[in-house]
Structures are given as C-alpha cells and as structure tokens.
Amino acid sequence: MKDLYGPDARAFAALEAAARRVFQSFGFREIRTPVLEEKELFTRALGAQTDVVQKEMYEFKDRSDTFVALRPEGTAGVVRAYLEDHFDKTEGLSKFFYMGPMFRSERPQAGRLRQFHQIGVETIGAAGPYADAEAIHCLAVFLDEAGIKGYRIKLNNLGTFGEREAFKKVLLKYFEPQKSALCDDCKTRLIKNVFRLLDCKNPACREIAEKSPAISGALDPESKDHFEKVLRSLEAIGLEYTLDPRMVRGLDYYTKTVFEVSHAALGAQDALAAGGRYDGLVESFGGTPAGAVGFALGVERLLMCGDKTETAGGAAESVFVVTLGEKAFEEGFKILSSLRTGGVTASMDFEAKSLKSQMRSADKSKSRYVVILGDNEIEKGVFTLKDMTGGGQEERALKDAVNFLKGKTG
Ligand code: HAM
C-alpha cells in the first residue's frame, strides 16, 4: 500500500477530474459506496471459487460478529446500492461512475498493489448491445483524454451461464486427457472451475490452453447476434479492437461481452482496464432481472502508461511574500491573506529570518512572482515585485498590491 503525494497526487487529481468530465458527458452520475461491505456480497457476486474471494480479500469479523471485507472491486457494491436504494423502482436505466480505493491481498509487484484505485462505470437496466459499445467507447474517450497512446482493446463473448455450463463439458473433455502435463493449480481448476485454466500463466498450461476449443462454437444465436452487434457498433464509431477467443475474466459474474484494455508499458500485469456484461447479477441479489455492463480501470496502471513529464502543477502563476522587519511582516501577512481570499496561490515562509533564506524558500516554491517588503518600502508606501522568470524587478504602490497581483496572476 502506498502513500500518495507530490506529482503522483496531482496526476491522480487530474485523472479524476478528466473522468468526471468524460463520464458525465456520457450520462453517468457519480456514486460513492462504502469501502467496507459484508463479505457475503463479494462471495456471491464474484464467485466463491475465484482467486479474489479465495485468496485475496481482506476479511474479518467486526465487533458484532458480522463477516465483512474491504471491497476488492466496485461492481458488487454498486449493484447492492442500486437495489437497496431502489433505483430499480425509480429509474428504468441507471448509469453510475465511481472512483476510489480497492483492496486485494495479492503478492505486490510492479502494477500490482494491495490498495489500488479504480475508476469505473456501471450501466444497469440495459440489455441491448449498444450499452456495451457505449461503455467501451466511454473508456476509449477517457483514455484518449488522459493522453494514453498505444492501448489495445480485446474482446470475447462468454455467452450466458447456461451456454457456459454446456461448454464446460467440451473443455473438460479436452483437458482431462492432458491432466498430467498441467500445473498443480490447474489440476484443481479442472475439478473446481475449468474456465480458470484458460487464464493460467504457466507456459506448459498455456500451450495446451491455446489449442483448446473456442467458446464461440458453443454459443446460441441470440448471444452470437448480441456480440456481432457490439462489434458492428464499435466499427461504426471507428474503434479498433482485436478478438481474443480464449479470454476469460477472473470474476464469475460476466455474461456475453467481456473486454480488456492492455498496454505494452505494463509488462506481465498488462491489463489497464477490464469489464463486460453481467446480466445475472441484479437477479441473483433478488432484484427483477436487469441487463448490466461496466468496466473499471486501474489508476496506478494508467499512470504507468502515461507521459512521464510533470506539469508545473498549480504553482506557475503564484506569489511568494518575503518580508524584513516586524511592520513589513504584518503588512506582508495581510497581502498574503487577501491574495488567498481572492483565489491567488500565495505563500510565505513564517519561520525564515534572513532575506537569503526567504528567497531560497521562494525558489523552492517555484512561484512566479516574489513580493519583497522591508521597513523602507513600508515607509515609502511601495513594495518590490520580482519576476522569477528573469523579468527583473520593479516598485509598485502598496495600496494597489492585491489588485495588481491578481491582474498579473489571473
Ligand atoms: P478487474 O479486472 O478485476 O475487474 O479489475 C479492473 C482493473 O483494476 C484491472 O484491469 C487493473 O487495471 C486494476 N487492478 C486490479 N487489481 C489490481 C491490483 N492488485 N493492483 C493494481 N491494479 C489492479 C473489476 O474489478 C470489475 N469490477 C470491472 C467491471 C466493472 N466489470 C464490470 N463492471
């Protein structure tokens, strides 16, 4: 888990602001759900046999003996809120976006943290393929807005739970005879969830998995048609994609369309964002059946893919106040406060005594202008303004200081 400050904190804030802009333009509204939920919510939504539930959740009993967990992802909480807060009754279609910390007790490595941040969207109450295309388009527009270049969108069609159940038999028939060549984990997966085998990173398992039958051959016309329409809609808006017929996702709630965005800068953990349709989830929580689709992207991973050059932050047009002597300090403090009230970024070193050390602080703050006030200036009713970009210095009337500086920095 990481502390966040400096350029990273600024980059986070900028991404969150971009997300709010883009997602709102697509008609999504912000929702903030609790970080802590009942553990059962995730077990039921994500699947009891998934790695996230089996190995990665931070879970504990609270003081009233309820099993709770820090959320490992955002979808389950949003669907719970959708039902608990009766959006299913008051709205036909609900479109949410969210951002915040998620927790997974994984082995940390580059791009994989135990507390990480997701930005995501969920459309609930839409069964048609255009909602899938809309979500993918929204993700692409956001990535473009965030300045990410060279990402790849991969898609697959996982069909309905029923179709998948039938396809399971096909997969088992394929993998069983090759059992002895599989890793120990995959031997267990063969019994518990054969689809997970397609996701194994072990080279030997991978080689076998790559030749396995693709699910597309086992799907009904309705699922095929839905996916075809998603692909046609993406083409219509000029979004490039590749098909990955063996892509499965680490969470069990997906149906039909699933997608992943990958980026070469990420190395082994190359998924920048992922999502898909989850048509059974609302119903499994006791709601009336409602089609749903969404995605989430990892903010830390996004920052690994972006341009590393740091922007100047908010300091470029700011003012630093330097004073010498008691009277000058009082006057300087008044100017500082008025500038801040007026929305100008301004600072002052309250501790430093000498002019030299205050100028050092001014330098460090990367302020554009320095206001210098000594008892001399106060007597003359002026202040000295120094332009730190090399523009020299000038004297100005003290009574106009705040307005003058506002004009300079505005
Ligand atoms: P997910 O694939 O588990 O999907 O996570 C989405 C993204 O979160 C990943 O692509 C990755 O960028 C980031 N991520 C996941 N785990 C970590 C980690 N340990 N460290 C850093 N980043 C990580 C979901 O969470 C689904 N709820 C997405 C979704 C929304 N599907 C439908 N709606």
Side-chain angles (χ1 to χ4, degrees), residues 84 118 139 145 192 205 240 253 278 281 330 357 363 392:
E84 216 166 279
Q118 282 188 347
L139 174 56
E145 177 90 2
K192 291 197 166 155
C205 303
E240 281 179 29
Y253 51 57
Y278 50 95
L281 198 54
E330 275 173 24
S357 63
D363 228 26

Side-chain angles (χ1 to χ4, degrees), residues 73-75 98 104 106 111-113 116 118 121-122 249 251 253-254 271-276 278 294-298 301:
E73 59 99 60
T75 311
Y98 55 91
R104 295 184 193 178
E106 299 189 78
R112 197 204 268 165
L113 295 129
F116 59 99
Q118 282 188 347
V121 313
E122 313 291 351
R249 306 276 312 117
L251 311 169
Y253 51 57
Y254 290 112
L272 178 58
Y278 50 95
F295 69 79
L297 57 92
R301 291 192 191 173

Side-chain angles (χ1 to χ4, degrees), residues 27 81 160-161 288-289:
T160 62
F161 290 130
T288 3

Side-chain angles (χ1 to χ4, degrees), residues 127-137 155-157 220-239 241 243 256-257 277:
Y130 295 101
D132 311 30
E134 178 188 58
I136 298 168
H137 185 214
L155 287 110
N156 193 19
N157 184 2
D220 291 344
E222 202 275 322
S223 286
K224 280 187 179 165
D225 183 55
H226 179 98
F227 193 58
E228 268 307 306
K229 284 191 175 129
V230 176
L231 301 183
R232 296 296 83 83
S233 324
L234 294 180
E235 284 155 21
I237 53 178
L239 273 186
Y241 61 82
L243 295 179
K256 296 183 178 166
T257 318
R277 185 160 271 288

Side-chain angles (χ1 to χ4, degrees), residues 19 36 78 83 117 120 180 198 201 226 268 282 305 353 355 405 409:
L36 200 71
V78 171
L83 290 171
H117 295 77
S180 57
L198 300 174
K201 299 282 181 277
H226 179 98
V282 170
C305 303
K353 297 280 184 290
L355 179 68
L405 288 163
T409 52

